[in-house]
């Protein structure tokens, strides 16, 4: 478990003390200084470092827990929470969990990887700047040994530099990012497209067969984290979400 430095928690002198503490810890989390799993200093240590009362520190931590940024456990202490994996039908999906919910056996195969500057074609497809460094990965996910979804992803190495040293041999890129990076904004687009011959061969479908394309981008504040294209064979998939006025149910 990652450790923290108390002197990283700095108040800005604006507004109530509890809210200054909340914002200071929030920013450390959202900017990746304290990644998921980081141990948050206990209340007594924060009190001493910041000269705040127990009630003030407690109020700040309770609010951070309500925002989903930290997880408080009575015996094991408080840690930075992992980003939520599901809010609604098209939120950040774990493909292994998706396959397991179908009662099928999950496997994945890394088909290609390139680290460096994007090609003109890749830059156009993902809206990238030619000079930025990215990891470009193509992954085929299987369910009961049958192709389930073809994933093409770029990871922005300036935002997630640790991805450069990860071989993704044990964990697929999407699930690795859920555990090792943070996002504050996401954008989704969904469309139906015919399968190109190369994609059709990988998905074991006929060229031109209808596919469901989900395109997703995430940012941490203004910094891009990842962009992904998920291509599902249309005849094999049906997405259902149940939700109410306040979100998924």
């Amino acid at each position: 478990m990652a450790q923290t430095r108390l002197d990283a928690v700095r108040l800005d002198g604006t507004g109530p003390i509890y809210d200054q503490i909340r914002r200071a810890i929030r920013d450390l989390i959202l900017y990746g200084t304290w990644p998921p799993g980081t141990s948050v200093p206990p209340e007594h240590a924060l009190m001493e470092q910041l000269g705040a009362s127990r009630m003030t520190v407690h109020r700040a931590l309770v609010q951070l827990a309500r925002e989903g940024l930290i997880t408080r456990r009575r015996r094991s202490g408080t840690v930075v929470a992992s980003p939520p994996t599901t809010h609604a039908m098209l939120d950040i999906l774990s493909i292994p969990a998706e396959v397991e919910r179908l009662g099928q056996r999950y496997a994945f195969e890394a088909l290609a990887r390139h680290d460096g500057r994007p090609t003109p074609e890749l830059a156009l497809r993902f809206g990238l700047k030619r000079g930025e460094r990215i990891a470009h990965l193509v992954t085929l996910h299987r369910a009961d040994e049958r192709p389930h979804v073809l994933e093409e992803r770029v990871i922005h190495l300036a935002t997630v530099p640790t991805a450069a040293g990860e071989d993704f041999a044990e964990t697929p890129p999407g699930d690795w990012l859920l555990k090792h990076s943070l996002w504050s904004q996401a954008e989704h687009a969904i469309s139906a497209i015919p399968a190109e011959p190369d994609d059709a061969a990988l998905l074991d479908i006929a060229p031109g067969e209808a596919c469901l394309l989900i395109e997703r981008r995430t940012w941490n504040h203004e910094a891009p984290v990842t962009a992904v294209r998920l291509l599902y064979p249309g005849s094999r998939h049906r997405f259902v979400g149940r939700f109410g006025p306040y979100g998924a149910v």
Side-chain angles (χ1 to χ4, degrees), residues 85-96:
T85 57
T86 55
H87 286 307
M89 182 178 69
L90 292 180
D91 211 339
I92 308 302
L93 300 174
S94 164
I95 295 175

Side-chain angles (χ1 to χ4, degrees), residues 146-148 192-193 195 203-206 208-213 231-239:
R146 192 178 189 187
H148 179 74
I193 64 170
L203 291 170
D204 193 21
I205 58 177
E209 184 171 323
C211 289
L212 185 69
L213 175 64
L231 192 65
Y232 289 85
S235 61
R236 300 179 198 162
H237 295 278
R238 178 170 177 260
F239 292 94

Side-chain angles (χ1 to χ4, degrees), residues 4-106:
T4 57
R5 289 177 51 190
L6 275 170
D7 58 6
V9 184
R10 298 179 180 178
L11 307 187
D12 60 16
T14 304
I17 298 297
Y18 88 89
D19 198 50
Q20 291 184 47
I21 297 171
R22 181 191 68 82
R23 286 185 280 110
I25 295 177
R26 178 203 63 190
D27 289 348
L28 288 169
I29 293 171
L30 292 181
Y31 283 108
T33 306
W34 290 3
T38 297
S39 177
V40 176
E43 290 185 8
H44 67 82
L46 289 168
M47 290 165 54
E48 183 177 344
Q49 172 71 17
L50 303 174
S53 69
R54 178 178 292 276
M55 182 177 295
T56 297
V57 171
H58 179 77
R59 183 177 180 184
L61 296 179
V62 167
Q63 184 60 38
L64 288 164
R66 287 174 178 167
E67 294 172 12
L69 293 175
I70 63 174
T71 300
R72 309 192 76 197
R73 301 186 181 96
R74 184 167 298 176
R75 294 184 179 179
S76 57
T78 300
V79 299
V80 176
S82 296
T85 57
T86 55
H87 286 307
M89 182 178 69
L90 292 180
D91 211 339
I92 308 302
L93 300 174
S94 164
I95 295 175
E98 176 183 292
V99 171
E100 290 167 5
R101 283 197 297 270
L102 296 172
Q104 298 177 330
R105 186 173 64 259
Y106 172 78

